[in-house]
Amino acid sequence: VKETARSTQIVQAAAELWAVKGYHGAGVEELSQLVGLQRGALYHYIGSKEELLQEVVRRAIQRLLDRTAPDESQPAEAQLRAISRILMTDIFEHQAEWTVFFREIDCLTGSRRDEIFQLRDRYEQLWIRSIERAAIRDELRPVADVLLKGVLGMHNYAYLWLRPDGSLAPTEIADLFMDALWNGMGGKATLDE
Amino acid sequence: VKETARSTQIVQAAAELWAVKGYHGAGVEELSQLVGLQRGALYHYIGSKEELLQEVVRRAIQRLLDRTAPDESQPAEAQLRAISRILMTDIFEHQAEWTVFFREIDCLTGSRRDEIFQLRDRYEQLWIRSIERAAIRDELRPVADVLLKGVLGMHNYAYLWLRPDGSLAPTEIADLFMDALWNGMGGKATLDE
């Protein structure tokens, strides 16, 4: 799917539609009405329904990769807090895309699926490398792989509960999370320092 | 759906099938072959496809509620660690059900949906009450609502990456998570105590 104003409009409409109705719950017919294109013209832009799904989730993860550039000159805590803020902000700003990403990604098959999982792994590597560099510089204990999965889950799951009119900005939510992870959940040991 | 050996077999088969193929990706016909019942006989047990979906996710959240009984005589840390272990163990033991729960819950409509969301809210209240009691006893700082969402996400997201042959037991993973949340992610301040 080539990146044009028209294709971006279609990809966004598909994300909104599938976030509400599910990928299998809404077809190309409904989408063609939403974007004001005949079915045949729509297929000209999207190739196939599955190709469009791949495009929705590919744009989400690619944008997140582009935005996430850890500044290695920073201390580990600043680096990780910055990555956390970028992730939460992106989920907040593109909640429909991320809903489709997390809920419908298994609808992709074959090489389409592989490509997205590779991008997702590349994103996880950004966290892993920041944490590893921090451990080498003795700013952080080495972090178990499953703990990183937990940290990502803590953020990713927000696609379910973030509200556009919530009282906290996404960056404030990210800070709350990193506060909890960095200095503990407020257990006495931490408070007594 | 009455709870009999037969209905339990059907509910489990549906969970396994939908965890792999998605709720919209696999129909009653495929399920009837899996459980060795004619379509008509199957409908006798399940009522409708959506009723069966509700049954899959209802059993999951109801079992978790039944298992999670915080012991109020315990210190907050022990209580929360116990709840965390129970949640991670349940996701581990019933990964197919929880995959359907987190991914397909939006396919439920009307009162079916409301009932499940009420059970999920009741479950979240178990965490909230444990944390609130702990804050009253000064064992924990008050925890922001969104942080609790983060803690739950940290656990829930495990339906995506827990492996039956993983090197860590689910209770060990839960302990790692609570270690990180309780005492911080290993930042210098904590290590220097």
Side-chain angles (χ1 to χ4, degrees):
Chain A
V1 183
K2 267 199 297 185
E3 199 148 341
T4 62
R6 189 54 140 169
S7 74
T8 295
Q9 180 216 2
I10 294 167
V11 168
Q12 285 172 356
E16 304 276 343
L17 179 64
W18 292 336
V20 174
K21 295 198 163 184
Y23 174 69
H24 285 297
V28 172
E29 185 61 39
E30 192 165 352
L31 182 63
S32 75
Q33 286 164 13
L34 269 179
V35 296
L37 280 174
Q38 298 289 324
R39 216 181 144 90
L42 182 57
Y43 273 113
H44 165 75
Y45 285 102
I46 68 172
S48 69
K49 188 181 177 189
E50 190 182 325
E51 197 174 335
L52 181 57
L53 174 61
Q54 191 202 20
E55 191 65 16
V56 170
V57 299
R58 194 190 60 72
R59 289 192 185 196
I61 189 74
Q62 187 63 58
R63 183 187 55 243
L64 184 59
L65 273 164
D66 294 343
R67 286 182 170 183
T68 311
D71 176 355
E72 301 196 12
S73 70
Q74 292 284 309
E77 183 169 356
Q79 274 184 49
L80 288 170
R81 283 182 180 273
I83 307 182
S84 164
R85 282 173 158 228
I86 291 164
L87 175 54
M88 194 59 75
T89 301
D90 203 87
I91 296 173
F92 180 81
E93 290 176 353
H94 301 276
Q95 199 163 354
E97 277 179 27
W98 287 110
T99 300
V100 173
F101 188 98
F102 290 117
R103 206 181 51 197
E104 312 290 356
I105 196 171
D106 287 328
C107 296
L108 291 174
T109 57
S111 63
R112 288 192 208 289
R113 183 192 169 86
D114 294 343
E115 192 202 320
I116 301 303
F117 277 77
Q118 280 162 19
L119 291 171
R120 198 203 53 180
D121 289 348
R122 203 191 295 169
Y123 177 72
E124 284 194 24
Q125 284 298 324
L126 295 179
W127 283 82
I128 291 170
R129 279 206 301 274
S130 274
I131 290 169
E132 282 175 352
R133 280 196 303 272
I136 288 169
R137 299 193 304 201
D138 207 24
E139 294 179 79
L140 198 73
R141 278 196 301 269
V143 170
D145 291 351
V146 293
L147 179 55
L148 176 64
K149 293 286 191 191
V151 173
L152 291 172
M154 204 169 178
H155 290 78
N156 292 343
Y157 192 70
Y159 83 85
L160 279 170
W161 54 262
L162 278 175
R163 292 289 165 264
D165 57 351
S167 59
L168 294 174
T171 50
E172 290 173 311
I173 296 170
D175 290 349
L176 262 177
F177 285 6
M178 294 311 286
D179 289 346
L181 289 165
W182 201 265
N183 288 322
M185 209 168 151
K188 275 294 172 191
T190 309
L191 287 177
D192 287 341
E193 268 159 34
Chain B
V1 183
K2 267 200 297 184
E3 199 147 341
T4 62
R6 189 55 141 166
S7 74
T8 295
Q9 180 217 2
I10 294 168
V11 168
Q12 285 171 356
E16 305 276 344
L17 179 64
W18 292 337
V20 175
K21 297 198 162 185
Y23 174 69
H24 285 297
V28 170
E29 185 61 39
E30 192 164 352
L31 182 62
S32 75
Q33 286 163 16
L34 269 179
V35 297
L37 280 173
Q38 298 290 322
R39 213 180 147 87
L42 182 57
Y43 272 113
H44 166 75
Y45 284 103
I46 67 171
S48 69
K49 190 181 176 189
E50 190 182 324
E51 197 175 333
L52 181 56
L53 173 61
Q54 190 201 21
E55 190 66 16
V56 169
V57 299
R58 194 189 60 71
R59 288 193 187 196
I61 189 74
Q62 187 63 57
R63 182 188 55 243
L64 183 60
L65 273 165
D66 293 344
R67 285 181 172 185
T68 309
D71 178 355
E72 302 196 11
S73 70
Q74 292 284 309
E77 184 170 355
Q79 275 184 51
L80 288 171
R81 283 181 179 274
I83 305 183
S84 164
R85 283 174 157 226
I86 290 164
L87 175 54
M88 194 59 74
T89 302
D90 204 88
I91 295 174
F92 180 82
E93 289 176 353
H94 301 277
Q95 199 163 354
E97 277 181 25
W98 287 109
T99 300
V100 173
F101 189 97
F102 291 117
R103 207 182 49 198
E104 313 290 357
I105 196 172
D106 286 328
C107 296
L108 291 174
T109 58
S111 63
R112 289 192 207 289
R113 182 191 168 86
D114 294 343
E115 192 201 322
I116 301 303
F117 277 77
Q118 279 162 20
L119 290 171
R120 198 204 52 179
D121 289 346
R122 204 192 294 168
Y123 176 73
E124 284 194 22
Q125 284 298 323
L126 296 179
W127 282 83
I128 290 170
R129 279 205 301 273
S130 273
I131 290 169
E132 283 176 352
R133 279 197 303 270
I136 288 168
R137 299 194 306 203
D138 207 25
E139 293 179 80
L140 199 72
R141 278 194 302 269
V143 170
D145 291 352
V146 292
L147 179 54
L148 176 64
K149 292 288 190 189
V151 173
L152 290 171
M154 204 169 177
H155 290 78
N156 292 343
Y157 193 69
Y159 84 85
L160 278 170
W161 53 261
L162 278 175
R163 293 287 166 265
D165 57 351
S167 58
L168 294 174
T171 51
E172 291 174 310
I173 295 170
D175 289 350
L176 262 177
F177 285 7
M178 295 311 285
D179 289 347
L181 289 165
W182 201 264
N183 288 325
M185 211 167 150
K188 272 296 173 189
T190 310
L191 288 177
D192 287 341
E193 267 159 35

